[in-house]
Amino acid sequence: MSRFLALVGLALRELWISFRLLLVVAVLLAAGLPAALLPHAVTPNLAGAPPDALGWFALALAVALALVAGIAAATLAGERRNGAPGWMAVRAVPRASIVLAWFTAFAVLLLLGLVPTALLAWLALGAAVLPAGPMPLVAVTASAACSGLAAIALGLLSGTLLPPWPALALAATPAAAILL
């Protein structure tokens, strides 16, 4: 267990050093901005009507999670291409543990980014737009977290198989389609 925590710490450290940690958190926080900046008028759910503020929040989260999946894919593909995990494989660290550590690091980042994003959306939307209480926002955020974990897994899978740019495209495209 201590070896796994050390691997997660190394993955988070690498994300911090390469500024990808800040990029992931910034992308997730930017997903809360449409809820704060767009008008809060709730439109009827007719065909072709623009979504309300909660709908914009969900769409922005979908785009942000697709970008996070692409970042995960490019990160693991770049690490693999540079040979960074090679020294760990020599020290009898299983490859599955390395990928699981990267997944855990991105899952921690996802949760650390989604909590302030949901709080920003809750403060921006307020009780006028969410008369039923916080449950619609909690449902959107929880589904985004589950979908984001699946998108990150898809990104890491493509990052283990492909070079960085094709891995990014392969991870972000289906993740965006599924999340939207």
Side-chain angles (χ1 to χ4, degrees), residues 115-160:
V115 169
T117 301
L119 184 61
L120 174 67
W122 171 253
L123 292 175
L125 296 176
V129 177
L130 299 170
M135 290 314 293
L137 185 65
V138 169
V140 167
T141 306
S143 66
C146 293
S147 300
L149 291 174
I152 288 171
L154 176 67
L156 292 176
L157 176 65
S158 65
T160 58

Side-chain angles (χ1 to χ4, degrees), residues 62-63 65-67 69 151 154 170-180:
V63 171
L65 292 175
L67 288 173
L154 176 67
L170 181 67
T173 305
I178 290 170
L179 291 170
L180 285 176

Side-chain angles (χ1 to χ4, degrees), residues 50-155:
D52 59 352
L54 190 60
W56 282 112
F57 177 63
L59 288 173
L61 273 179
V63 171
L65 292 175
L67 288 173
V68 170
I71 292 170
T75 298
L76 191 60
E79 289 291 312
R80 186 178 51 84
R81 180 178 235 177
N82 292 336
W87 69 271
M88 289 185 267
V90 170
R91 299 204 186 274
V93 176
R95 288 183 175 95
S97 296
I98 296 169
V99 174
L100 189 60
W102 277 102
F103 179 77
T104 305
F106 273 103
V108 166
L109 284 182
L110 179 72
L111 296 178
L112 286 178
L114 279 179
V115 169
T117 301
L119 184 61
L120 174 67
W122 171 253
L123 292 175
L125 296 176
V129 177
L130 299 170
M135 290 314 293
L137 185 65
V138 169
V140 167
T141 306
S143 66
C146 293
S147 300
L149 291 174
I152 288 171
L154 176 67

Side-chain angles (χ1 to χ4, degrees), residues 15-91:
L15 289 172
W16 175 257
I17 289 173
S18 64
F19 294 106
R20 291 183 186 117
L21 187 141
L22 295 175
L23 179 64
V24 168
V25 173
V27 162
L28 290 171
L29 282 175
L33 291 179
L37 299 177
L38 293 175
H40 296 185
V42 178
T43 58
N45 194 6
L46 302 173
D52 59 352
L54 190 60
W56 282 112
F57 177 63
L59 288 173
L61 273 179
V63 171
L65 292 175
L67 288 173
V68 170
I71 292 170
T75 298
L76 191 60
E79 289 291 312
R80 186 178 51 84
R81 180 178 235 177
N82 292 336
W87 69 271
M88 289 185 267
V90 170
R91 299 204 186 274

Side-chain angles (χ1 to χ4, degrees), residues 1-8 104:
M1 186 63 169
S2 64
R3 179 185 286 182
F4 179 72
L5 292 177
L7 289 174
V8 172
T104 305

